[in-house]
Amino acid sequence: MEMLRIHGLYKRFGEKQVLNGLNLSVPEHSVFGFIGQNGAGKTTTMKTILGLLKADAGEITVSGEKAVYGQTSTNRYIGYLPDVPSFYPFMTAREYLRFCGEISGMNKTENEARCKELLELVGLGDETHRIKGFSRGMKQRLGIAQALLNRPKLLICDEPTSALDPVGRKEILDILSAVREQTTVLFSTHILSDVERICTDIAFLNQGVIEMQGKLSEIKTKYRREEYRLETEKTSDFSLLKQAFPMIKTVGANTLIFRESDCSVFDVLRFVSERRITLLKLEREEPTLESLFMEVTGK
């Protein structure tokens, strides 16, 4: 089932066409990476989903219900974490979550239980300091807890790891991966390693349109090339291989790359075996998100 569907979305700001017929489909209970360069229109898309921006054209449905600008009834399905969440700095994490539960109409018993559950989930269960003393990573974790408070069907996170150190990024990614059983996760990013780590599905946004989307594993399989990386121990052996197979490309010290269409891996292995060449590495190259993204954007 589609949790989010966008069809033919257009949005212009003055002379700048930000979205140019964007089509997007986010499956239920996926961790969906919405990938694009800074300024590509990721935040514009998310704010349009939330009914905060009016599209020039197009249709958005959330859990099968049409989203309409200014009439945000579909937001009852959505939890949202902006790129820079704001809090009342004089509150503790527990006080803030409890306050959010109260203004959303949760009864006291449910509110207390949900706050405890979520603070444990994001690693703030024992935190008693005021929010003003929180690190950026702690604020992001609290923001995720707040976004999950009302058990949304769709959790939208805008660049949740962009300003975090490696430890903070790992903590946020672990949380987003863990909540997949509870909700569908859509997060925008330009950090491709984050996407490769936790995402089940991806979409590349480029110049206002989706250039490529689908399951990450299927996309990698589709764009896999029969390409191999080989590294020798000795420079003399490296030279022998270069002489025997001139179509092989040099990519580093004693390191070669070749395609099956240029020379058979079995011919290379036979040559290596006959001359007793010591290899440090021989592996098939897998397409990376970086290489796919560069291909999509024409960089």
Side-chain angles (χ1 to χ4, degrees):
M1 175 183 171
E2 291 177 322
M3 179 51 59
L4 171 68
R5 181 179 180 274
I6 302 176
H7 178 71
L9 195 65
Y10 288 82
K11 181 62 182 178
R12 175 186 292 273
F13 294 102
E15 296 299 314
K16 183 174 177 58
Q17 187 73 46
V18 178
L19 302 178
N20 194 28
L22 184 149
N23 297 308
L24 184 68
S25 175
V26 178
E28 188 175 18
H29 290 295
S30 60
V31 179
F32 198 102
F34 190 35
I35 306 166
Q37 297 169 306
N38 289 331
K42 303 185 298 294
T43 298
T44 297
T45 302
M46 291 181 165
K47 289 185 175 180
T48 307
I49 295 168
L50 293 163
L52 302 176
L53 286 175
K54 185 177 183 180
D56 299 328
E59 183 177 273
I60 300 171
T61 58
V62 180
S63 191
E65 185 176 332
K66 187 175 180 180
V68 180
Y69 169 70
Q71 300 176 21
T72 55
S73 62
T74 49
N75 283 358
R76 71 185 186 277
Y77 300 128
I78 301 174
Y80 176 57
L81 175 67
D83 54 345
V84 183
S86 298
F87 307 97
Y88 294 115
F90 55 85
M91 289 183 172
T92 65
R94 189 173 298 277
E95 288 170 345
Y96 178 76
L97 273 194
R98 188 185 297 124
F99 169 71
C100 292
E102 288 172 357
I103 63 175
S104 65
M106 295 176 69
N107 66 59
K108 186 175 180 179
T109 302
E110 181 187 7
N111 193 2
E112 288 293 336
R114 186 63 173 156
C115 288
K116 184 177 186 299
E117 175 188 355
L118 289 172
L119 289 172
E120 292 293 337
L121 173 68
V122 300
L124 296 174
D126 298 324
E127 185 57 57
T128 58
H129 291 90
R130 303 294 170 183
I131 296 172
K132 66 181 179 181
F134 279 18
S135 67
R136 176 69 186 268
M138 292 170 72
K139 289 179 179 178
Q140 292 294 83
R141 285 186 275 148
L142 178 57
I144 292 176
Q146 187 274 323
L148 290 170
L149 191 60
N150 288 311
R151 305 182 189 276
K153 293 184 177 182
L154 175 64
L155 174 63
I156 296 177
C157 302
D158 191 2
E159 301 278 5
T161 62
S162 61
L164 301 181
D165 60 28
V167 173
R169 283 173 55 200
K170 180 183 183 302
E171 290 172 346
I172 297 300
L173 293 174
D174 287 346
I175 292 168
L176 294 181
S177 183
V179 302
R180 179 186 170 193
E181 296 303 317
Q182 303 176 28
T183 185
T184 302
V185 179
L186 169 67
F187 78 96
S188 70
T189 188
H190 60 273
I191 304 174
L192 301 180
S193 59
D194 290 353
V195 175
E196 291 200 272
R197 178 173 171 181
I198 69 167
C199 286
T200 59
D201 299 74
I202 62 169
F204 286 126
L205 177 63
N206 183 45
Q207 297 184 352
V209 297
I210 299 297
E211 297 279 9
M212 181 189 300
Q213 68 177 303
K215 291 198 172 299
L216 178 57
S217 58
E218 293 176 359
I219 287 175
K220 283 194 167 186
T221 299
K222 179 179 178 181
Y223 287 89
R224 178 183 291 137
R225 300 187 180 99
E226 292 300 318
E227 194 170 67
Y228 297 86
R229 179 180 292 262
L230 181 152
E231 183 178 352
T232 66
E233 183 179 46
K234 299 177 182 178
T235 302
S236 57
D237 291 335
F238 171 84
S239 299
L240 282 175
L241 281 164
K242 284 288 293 180
Q243 292 170 11
F245 304 96
M247 68 291 296
I248 287 179
K249 297 178 182 178
T250 302
V251 293
N254 294 355
T255 304
L256 305 163
I257 280 184
F258 64 94
R259 293 185 179 180
E260 184 74 22
S261 58
D262 295 328
C263 54
S264 167
V265 65
F266 297 108
D267 291 340
V268 173
L269 287 174
R270 186 180 301 111
F271 183 88
V272 167
S273 176
E274 289 172 353
R275 286 157 182 79
R276 297 185 177 277
I277 293 173
T278 301
L279 298 183
L280 298 179
K281 180 186 295 183
L282 175 61
E283 61 185 11
R284 185 165 69 176
E285 288 282 274
E286 295 291 331
T288 64
L289 280 184
E290 181 179 0
S291 65
L292 292 175
F293 186 67
M294 300 298 269
E295 184 176 322
V296 163
T297 57
K299 298 292 184 180

